[in-house]
Amino acid sequence: MKISETIRPFIHLLFPPVCRACGKLLSGDPSAILCARCASQDVSLKLPVCDLCGLPVPAPADPCSFPSSSHGCIPFKPAFDCIRSAVAYENPVRELIHQFKFQGSRRVRPYLQSLFADGADRLLGNFHLDAIVPVPLHWTRHFSREFNQADVLAQSLSRHSGIPVLADAVRRCKRTYPQSRLGGKWRGRGLEAAFCPGTDAVSGLDLLLVDDVMTTGQTISACAAALRQAGAHHIVGYTLARRI
Ligand SMILES: [Zn+2]
Ligand SMILES: [Zn+2]
């Protein structure tokens, strides 16, 4: 028996485990991170969904019910071919993503990675994919956060699917303000030339471009544009969560 297993009951007495989403005291399975109520919240997105925005539609050929421009439901012409998201950006997942991304919590990673893999099995079966590409962070943000959440998700999906990751297919050559913190009219500003091709060859490849959260789709589209510039053939955007 390891020392950590010996002292775990005492640690639990001093610091009782709580639900990572709502803070309720947990009893039972010591490895659980969510209470029964939070674990039962199903925020997964299921087919059919709109190719442009990833939101559910009534039937596969139906137009999206969120039209906002002549391009359809998102207010710009995207550089990706279609987009999918595993879950809606709602609690309990929203709180777990926050802990994963901004607090570096390793406890919540396996749960989020399993949601990401389940979503891929559910939503991506019809696509031919040569490689997975994580949306990169600017090096200054990567340095301060110490990891890229998109890279963590890409690597776990690669282990699940056997599809390789191209870690330097695209680079963030300009630091931009997080899109999620910008008001509607400012979103998309500053993303021009924010990404540029890296050293990994993507010419003729079918790519899965992954990120943690899709807000408007403009970041993932700007990243897809750089991959297009490098000759990528088909680009499917895939995020863990989608703001609705
Ligand atoms: Zn809870
Ligand atoms: Zn749509």
Side-chain angles (χ1 to χ4, degrees), residues 1 28 34 70-71 79 87 91 100 111 123 126-127 133 141 149 152 157 167 172 181 193 220 222 232 235-236:
M1 182 182 280
L34 293 176
S70 57
H71 300 302
V87 298
N91 276 329
F100 163 52
Y111 181 81
L123 302 166
N126 289 337
F127 298 111
V133 175
R141 188 160 288 140
Q149 65 280 0
V152 171
L157 190 58
R172 199 144 191 156
R181 293 193 210 157
I220 206 161
I235 302 171
V236 179

Side-chain angles (χ1 to χ4, degrees), residues 173-238:
C173 26
K174 190 168 86 177
R175 184 169 177 156
T176 54
Y177 204 70
Q179 294 293 298
S180 57
R181 293 193 210 157
L182 295 176
K185 72 173 183 175
W186 297 104
R187 288 197 173 145
R189 300 264 177 104
L191 280 171
E192 308 83 16
F195 297 93
C196 51
T199 57
D200 290 331
V202 298
S203 183
L205 297 186
D206 296 336
L207 301 175
L208 186 70
L209 180 57
V210 308
D211 205 358
D212 57 340
V213 180
M214 172 180 168
T215 301
T216 63
Q218 279 161 313
T219 301
I220 206 161
S221 179
C223 190
L227 292 166
R228 279 282 178 228
Q229 190 188 331
H233 171 248
H234 190 262
I235 302 171
V236 179
Y238 179 50

